Amino acid sequence: MHDDRRITEVRLGRFVRERINPAVYTRSVPLTLSSWEAPGEPVAVMEALRHDFLPQEHGAAWGRPWGTKWLRLQGDVPEAWGTAPDTTVEIVVDLGFINEAPGFQCEGIAWRPDGTIIKAISPRNQYIPLKLLGSGIAVDFYVEAAANPDMAQGWTFAATPLGDKATAGTAPQYRLGTIAIAELNRTVWELQQDVWTLSGLMHELPVEQPRRHEILRALERMMEQMDPDDVPGTAAAGRAALAEVLSRPAYASAHQLVATGHAHIDSAWLWPVRETIRKCARTFSNVVSLMDEDPDFVFSCSSAQQFAWMKEFYPELFGRIREKVKAGQFVPVGGMWVESDTNMPGGEAMARQFVEGKNFFLQEFGVECREAWLPDSFGYSAALPQIVRSAGSRWFLTQKISWNQVNRMPHHTFNWEGIDGTRLFTHFPPVDTYNAELTGRELAHAERNFRDHGRANTSLVPFGYGDGGGGPTREMLAAAHRTADLEGSPKVRIGSAESFFTQAEEGYAALPVWVGEMYLELHRGTYTSQANTKRGNRRSEHLLREAELWCTTAAVRSSFAYPGAELKRLWRLVLLHQFHDILPGSSIAWVHQDAERNYAAISAGLEAIIGQAAAALLGEGSRTFLLNAAPHARNGVPALGAAEPAIEGQSVQATGAGGGFVLDNGIIRAVVDSDGLLTSLTDYATGREAIAPGSRGNLLELHRDTPNEWDAWDIDEFYRRNVTALTDVQDVRLEHVGNSAVVVVQRIAGSSPVTQRITLDVGSDSLAITTAIEWQESEKLLKLGFPLDVKADRSAAETQFGHVFRPTHNNTSWEAAKFEICAHRWIHVAEPGYGVAISNSATYGHDVTRNVREADGGTTTSVRLSLLRAPKFPDPAADRGHHELTVTIRPGAGIADAVEEGYRTNLAPRLVRGGRGVEPLFTVDNPALVVEAVKLAEDGSGDVVVRLYESLGQRSAGAIKAGFPVQGVQATDLLERPVDAPGVTPAEQGSVSLALRPFQLVTLRFAR
């Protein structure tokens, strides 16, 4: 037989495009339009409706960037429309949409005159059923149209002023399209879905497979039996021609896909937070409207913050969501406040994501999420399995690792083992997207791509347009129903994430194991971009620690009223800003401007709270007390207590040497040369030189930073090939500040003035370097490096509740890909018997390399911190301006010293005047057991909750004792519910004996 396959396929494409698609709506009539444009920021619906609406021309240009235009749509449905059995009446609203990028353009939401939401208007969801407007044939409703500019610009990553309202301009962004009453032919629409599903499946089947040709011939018969001049009249015959091939059941061994509705909405990104709130309302209104039509539809929705916004700003919609949650259709997932970054949030912040998220879902809906849901975050900390399990959850989902540049993960379903040995059942959807449309191509890819065939046969498909694109559509649901049991296709079942995990867990007993972090081989620049946002986060985390500690101490020791509601509000604001496009620095300027203002308000609020608690604790007086919130003693003041600091011993000796200076406090000795570089650093305890022979530390290096794409996100490896060492100096001088000696160094980094203050304090084990810079560079990366005389095969970098080791060599492609790594407050490199710790005040990006010296055969291990970047997209002015970053270097340091140094650098001494000292609420007899948080219980009982962890990565034993009357002690999970905790044994009089495994996390509840 002659092969006319291609001819028939082309014919089909044109038939669909020119005959079927236009016939879905058989007739239409324009509506009468009037409008009002909000002069500034968006307003509430009832305020908008009070304004005068003026006549609005169809097809007119509209929408200054970030503006809002309110449209009033009025008209009457023509007589007899929608009375035929297969027809219905809808309103079609095209705000000027483009077909591409549904979440990155204008959006709308329809409102009834009484101020209740109807549903959203989206690029691929432009209809409103007439029945949703109420009874009768009169049409009268409103559309709130948001002129969000197209920041994506085709993903060219070109710099644009549109991300800052001050520079976005006023030029209209869109032009109104068709806005009309239309009659929908249901049979034609169903035919359209039949053809779309079969055609998509056909193109994914091998040409040599009979099933492909059977589908083609059925589609050919459909075209033959239909009249192209009367598609509505012959659509039923067309459907009949396809019925047989649509009814063929799937293969018994077909892959099983659990399809769950989804609409990943970034809590801020290429739009500000205020627009995210409206995006959520638009999408969620679409979702509940679809649920009314299809009771089988299930939607998975993460981020308690987004539900909280609905409760606050859209209470009527929130009530509808609550009903759908009760019905099991609108399913909260993830159990986190937001889908946060997991690389940079501190341990307690990461825990609070689950505490706040899960408690919100429990309190509002009576639902406990059992899965962590992070499809889009930029890599996953090795501490996460323990945190997830400690929150009472058991599963984890992500898709982002499929973006790896070099290495492909070997599994899609596996056990993920964290730093403490905790294992977490984990799934990567092999469809490789969290915004699936359930196309034939996507379903076939999920089946072909699944890496666990023969051992498992089920995977998850999250489907729906995200980021304001409107979520799932009725077309997607039609595809899901048609592929439920269809020959040649995987079997698709609509369901919840929990139903998937339960099924997958039961069907895959001998799980493979992945140990350690899941490093994303992409987006490494997010450890550094938008340094002010990162500094605000780090400072806020530590202020919250202090505030909770001193408020708890004051509540126990005095009549001080614990400000639980205000602390919760501030915590939630910090957690919001840990979202995976805010803290990583990958959002527009508007987002980061908001973040900096919020961090300033958080700081002011927490300082006031700390001041009030300190006043209650210390009373009136003129004595100076050091409030030591650190988990280690400092200046003679015990951990977690307040006392007068010990008088310092000998002063620092500072002498000139060869144009440079020698700083010596009897503990360490540092030599700074005439270029302001560190040529020697020794500690008296070991006598070892930390700086590698012939090398100099405190070296600033300026790199060209022009990634191939994803500017704010990425650092590409080739940045290393273009570097300028900043050795030229303008001034080097010595100053004395109190008992400290300070070498001040001034130089220029490109066009940016730099002032460094190299400080050695009395009694300090470390040398501090504060770099102040007026950063004016573009597409540059500034590194600060220390070449160390240490043969380190691996580095240790702090992560949540512990640290993670990474090789310093590049034996494999997996190791080579980690050319930029994340560390929290410290990084440590060592050989047996000797190590060096480097701490920081607000820096996360690092690189560690090694080289064998020709001269003496020794190994130089170089540690560099990424201080600043200057990407141009999405914020063309990112990071420009003043920055101040502190780094310390501690020679002769072990891991315990690194842990202490990290806290010391980030918890500055707090000196307060008062009349009396304060005994610590808790004492711990082993410094390896680090207290991370002290707070009052979430339930308002007044019980005291302590969170601590084993910090050294070894088995550690000790005891924690309460310094106040205690009725009993109970180990709990993160949500403060009783659990059995291995190695935790309550003893007499408020004491608990601890024998903890490496990095074990423990939460204890002390009943007062």
Side-chain angles (χ1 to χ4, degrees):
M1 179 177 285
H2 298 296
D3 184 6
D4 65 347
R5 178 179 58 84
R6 290 293 303 134
I7 295 171
T8 306
E9 289 175 355
V10 172
R11 177 190 175 194
L12 174 67
R14 185 168 186 180
F15 189 83
V16 170
R17 186 172 61 250
E18 296 185 2
R19 305 294 180 175
I20 296 179
N21 292 349
V24 170
Y25 289 108
T26 53
R27 46 190 174 175
S28 64
V29 59
L31 285 162
T32 300
L33 303 181
S34 56
S35 68
W36 171 73
E37 187 165 355
E41 282 293 280
V43 300
V45 56
M46 298 314 294
E47 179 180 344
L49 301 193
R50 285 196 293 267
H51 289 273
D52 293 329
F53 280 63
L54 302 177
Q56 171 67 56
E57 180 185 357
H58 281 263
W62 73 281
R64 70 183 187 280
W66 306 111
T68 300
K69 189 179 191 72
W70 285 81
L71 298 169
R72 186 175 186 181
L73 287 63
Q74 294 173 289
D76 293 314
V77 179
E79 188 176 351
W81 278 26
T83 58
D86 62 343
T87 64
T88 187
V89 176
E90 297 183 342
I91 314 302
V92 176
V93 182
D94 180 359
L95 297 174
F97 299 125
I98 58 173
N99 190 49
E100 296 77 23
F104 301 89
Q105 52 181 294
C106 60
E107 303 169 33
I109 192 165
W111 296 87
R112 298 182 186 90
D114 65 359
T116 57
I117 289 175
I118 304 170
K119 67 179 289 289
I121 305 296
S122 306
R124 300 183 191 175
N125 195 336
Q126 300 178 19
Y127 68 95
I128 299 172
L130 179 66
K131 64 182 180 181
L132 296 184
L133 303 183
S135 61
I137 62 172
V139 172
D140 188 359
F141 68 100
Y142 298 84
V143 171
E144 179 187 5
N148 300 334
D150 176 18
M151 289 295 303
Q153 304 174 95
W155 302 113
T156 58
F157 307 103
T160 172
L162 291 171
D164 186 339
K165 205 173 179 184
T167 60
T170 59
Q173 300 292 295
Y174 302 101
R175 186 173 295 277
L176 294 176
T178 299
I179 301 179
I181 303 171
E183 187 178 47
L184 174 75
N185 187 298
R186 190 75 192 182
T187 304
V188 176
W189 184 87
E190 295 286 359
L191 173 66
Q192 184 187 49
Q193 308 317 308
D194 292 344
V195 173
W196 189 83
T197 298
L198 287 170
S199 178
L201 172 59
M202 176 185 70
H203 283 96
E204 294 305 312
L205 294 172
V207 174
E208 62 273 12
Q209 192 173 104
R211 175 66 167 161
R212 175 165 183 153
H213 298 276
E214 289 172 354
I215 293 172
L216 179 67
R217 297 311 160 194
L219 290 165
E220 184 178 47
R221 288 193 298 274
M222 176 268 298
M223 291 185 285
E224 297 293 348
Q225 293 182 25
M226 289 183 65
D227 182 351
D229 296 324
D230 184 16
V231 170
T234 57
R239 293 203 72 200
L242 301 177
E244 196 275 333
V245 291
L246 274 170
S247 66
R248 294 272 189 91
Y251 310 132
S253 60
H255 190 65
Q256 298 179 44
L257 294 171
V258 178
T260 192
H262 188 232
H264 176 79
I265 302 175
D266 285 321
S267 292
W269 181 25
L270 302 184
W271 49 85
V273 165
R274 68 88 154 147
E275 194 57 33
T276 307
I277 298 171
R278 298 203 295 176
K279 282 177 179 282
C280 290
R282 291 188 283 257
T283 295
F284 297 167
S285 67
N286 269 346
V287 167
V288 295
S289 180
L290 267 183
M291 288 173 178
D292 289 337
E293 296 297 316
D294 188 340
D296 294 329
F297 173 41
V298 175
F299 179 75
S300 294
C301 187
S302 72
S303 303
Q305 172 70 87
Q306 296 182 358
F307 287 83
W309 283 330
M310 297 304 97
K311 183 180 181 182
E312 179 179 0
F313 296 107
Y314 298 90
E316 183 264 339
L317 176 59
F318 185 73
R320 293 165 65 191
I321 291 171
R322 191 191 296 275
E323 290 303 311
K324 297 302 183 184
V325 172
K326 189 182 300 182
Q329 288 186 273
F330 203 115
V331 182
V333 295
M336 297 176 69
W337 190 247
V338 296
E339 290 184 16
S340 73
D341 178 75
T342 76
N343 289 310
M344 291 173 283
E348 187 60 22
M350 200 77 254
R352 295 300 176 93
Q353 287 286 352
F354 289 93
V355 171
E356 292 300 327
K358 295 194 76 169
N359 276 335
F360 182 91
F361 290 141
L362 283 164
Q363 291 161 9
E364 294 294 335
F365 307 120
V367 170
E368 177 161 11
C369 305
R370 296 202 293 165
E371 68 291 302
W373 182 278
L374 290 170
D376 192 37
S377 300
F378 309 147
Y380 304 94
S381 157
L384 208 51
Q386 177 176 210
I387 295 171
V388 171
R389 294 300 293 266
S390 295
S393 297
R394 59 185 298 175
W395 304 310
F396 179 78
L397 177 136
T398 184
Q399 178 269 321
K400 198 68 173 186
I401 299 298
S402 69
W403 286 43
N404 272 5
Q405 285 179 313
V406 179
N407 299 286
R408 184 182 177 191
M409 286 289 287
H411 318 291
H412 280 106
T413 304
F414 56 96
N415 261 330
W416 177 22
E417 183 178 315
I419 55 174
D420 75 314
T422 296
R423 290 184 174 180
L424 185 64
F425 187 95
T426 297
H427 180 67
F428 294 168
V431 70
D432 285 347
T433 180
Y434 44 80
N435 293 320
E437 300 173 46
L438 302 184
T439 65
R441 175 170 295 182
E442 289 170 340
L443 301 184
H445 175 74
E447 183 171 55
R448 288 194 295 259
N449 188 44
F450 189 58
R451 304 208 75 181
D452 301 290
H453 284 308
R455 296 180 176 86
N457 196 35
T458 307
S459 65
L460 190 71
V461 176
F463 68 93
Y465 298 120
D467 289 330
T473 65
R474 60 185 176 183
E475 288 78 14
M476 295 175 192
L477 291 176
H481 292 311
R482 283 164 172 77
T483 53
D485 192 11
L486 182 62
E487 183 185 355
S489 170
K491 293 181 180 180
V492 176
R493 171 176 67 84
I494 296 176
S496 66
E498 181 173 10
S499 74
F500 157 74
F501 276 111
T502 301
Q503 179 181 343
E505 203 170 32
E506 290 173 353
Y508 199 168
L511 283 170
V513 177
W514 179 269
V515 178
E517 71 179 326
M518 290 194 289
Y519 177 93
L520 179 64
E521 296 173 358
L522 198 72
H523 294 358
R524 304 166 182 90
T526 58
Y527 312 146
T528 304
S529 296
Q530 298 286 3
N532 282 332
T533 297
K534 291 173 170 58
R535 184 160 51 252
N537 174 73
R538 180 76 69 83
R539 180 67 180 137
S540 296
E541 288 181 344
H542 288 82
L543 282 171
L544 281 163
R545 173 195 174 91
E546 289 190 88
E548 287 188 333
L549 170 65
W550 300 127
C551 287
T552 302
T553 306
V556 173
R557 299 281 191 227
S558 71
S559 60
F560 182 80
Y562 189 79
E566 179 63 5
L567 288 169
K568 180 179 289 292
R569 185 187 72 83
L570 293 172
W571 258 118
R572 287 180 170 183
L573 192 54
V574 171
L575 298 178
L576 166 62
H577 288 87
Q578 291 179 341
F579 177 74
H580 66 253
D581 274 306
I582 303 180
L583 180 54
S586 47
S587 290
I588 58 173
W590 190 341
V591 173
H592 293 288
Q593 291 163 5
D594 283 351
E596 289 179 36
R597 282 191 292 270
N598 284 329
Y599 283 132
I602 290 166
S603 178
L606 289 172
E607 288 288 358
I609 289 172
I610 293 167
Q612 293 161 9
L617 281 169
L618 302 177
E620 294 184 2
S622 58
R623 295 157 59 192
T624 298
F625 294 93
L626 188 154
L627 273 67
N628 181 18
H632 311 96
R634 180 181 295 180
N635 296 87
V637 179
L640 314 181
E644 293 177 286
I647 299 173
E648 299 288 357
Q650 64 184 76
S651 62
V652 178
Q653 302 299 313
T655 58
F661 300 94
V662 177
L663 308 180
D664 191 329
N665 67 356
I667 300 172
I668 63 173
R669 179 180 183 274
V671 179
V672 179
D673 69 9
S674 58
D675 293 327
L677 300 176
L678 188 62
T679 60
S680 175
L681 181 64
T682 57
D683 66 292
Y684 283 95
T686 69
R688 277 278 303 263
E689 173 62 65
I691 303 299
S695 300
R696 298 188 290 180
N698 188 39
L699 178 64
L700 291 168
E701 294 179 296
L702 196 62
H703 291 266
R704 182 189 298 164
D705 185 17
T706 54
N708 287 342
E709 52 187 1
W710 300 107
D711 293 30
W713 294 258
D714 284 358
I715 293 175
D716 284 331
E717 188 275 338
F718 54 77
Y719 86 90
R720 290 176 168 172
R721 303 172 199 170
N722 188 284
V723 58
T724 300
L726 304 179
T727 56
D728 293 341
V729 69
Q730 294 178 311
D731 184 37
V732 179
R733 63 183 184 273
L734 179 66
E735 295 180 355
H736 289 278
V737 179
N739 289 331
S740 302
V742 183
V743 176
V744 181
V745 183
Q746 292 178 300
R747 64 176 92 248
I748 297 289
S751 302
S752 305
V754 179
T755 299
Q756 288 187 306
R757 298 179 66 82
I758 305 171
T759 303
L760 184 60
D761 291 330
V762 171
S764 176
D765 299 283
S766 61
L767 186 71
I769 302 170
T770 298
T771 301
I773 183 167
E774 299 297 330
W775 186 240
Q776 301 300 328
E777 305 310 300
S778 178
E779 297 184 297
K780 295 293 189 291
L781 169 63
L782 183 66
K783 289 264 188 179
L784 175 64
F786 298 91
L788 305 173
D789 190 13
V790 176
K791 186 181 185 299
D793 296 325
R794 59 184 186 175
S795 63
E798 188 188 31
T799 188
Q800 297 93 356
F801 305 119
H803 53 269
V804 61
F805 289 108
R806 301 182 181 98
T808 58
H809 54 73
N810 294 331
N811 283 358
T812 71
S813 59
W814 294 88
E815 293 152 357
K818 295 182 181 181
F819 57 81
E820 184 81 0
I821 57 176
C822 183
H824 285 197
R825 292 169 291 201
W826 57 265
I827 193 165
H828 180 264
V829 292
E831 61 186 49
Y834 182 82
V836 178
I838 296 174
S839 78
N840 68 82
S841 63
T843 297
Y844 295 91
H846 296 72
D847 72 271
V848 183
T849 56
R850 64 192 298 277
N851 184 54
V852 175
R853 304 185 293 269
E854 291 187 7
D856 64 355
T859 298
T860 298
T861 301
S862 295
V863 177
R864 298 195 305 165
L865 300 90
S866 299
L867 299 185
L868 291 168
R869 297 188 68 214
K872 296 176 72 173
F873 179 84
D875 177 5
D879 284 316
R880 312 307 192 278
H882 180 77
H883 298 272
E884 193 164 308
L885 302 133
T886 297
V887 170
T888 75
I889 178 168
R890 182 165 174 170
I895 292 290
D897 302 316
V899 173
E900 181 182 357
E901 193 69 25
Y903 280 100
R904 183 178 295 274
T905 302
N906 286 274
L907 282 168
R910 185 176 292 276
L911 300 176
V912 180
R913 292 192 179 276
R916 58 180 178 271
V918 178
E919 290 296 317
L921 283 185
F922 297 97
T923 55
V924 181
D925 62 6
N926 183 347
L929 307 177
V930 171
V931 173
E932 182 66 8
V934 177
K935 60 187 284 294
L936 289 192
E938 294 288 314
D939 61 8
S941 63
D943 290 352
V944 181
V945 172
V946 178
R947 194 141 31 243
L948 55 85
Y949 67 101
E950 197 292 317
S951 66
L952 305 186
Q954 64 188 36
R955 291 185 179 273
S956 296
I960 180 171
K961 182 174 177 57
F964 58 93
V966 171
Q967 289 186 348
V969 186
Q970 173 68 57
T972 74
D973 65 6
L974 294 182
L975 274 65
E976 300 168 11
R977 301 174 298 195
V979 295
D980 292 326
V984 177
T985 307
E988 297 283 329
Q989 299 176 332
S991 179
V992 180
S993 175
L994 302 168
L996 303 188
R997 67 178 182 272
F999 302 128
Q1000 184 177 343
L1001 174 63
V1002 173
T1003 303
L1004 299 171
R1005 180 175 182 139
F1006 291 78
R1008 291 165 60 191

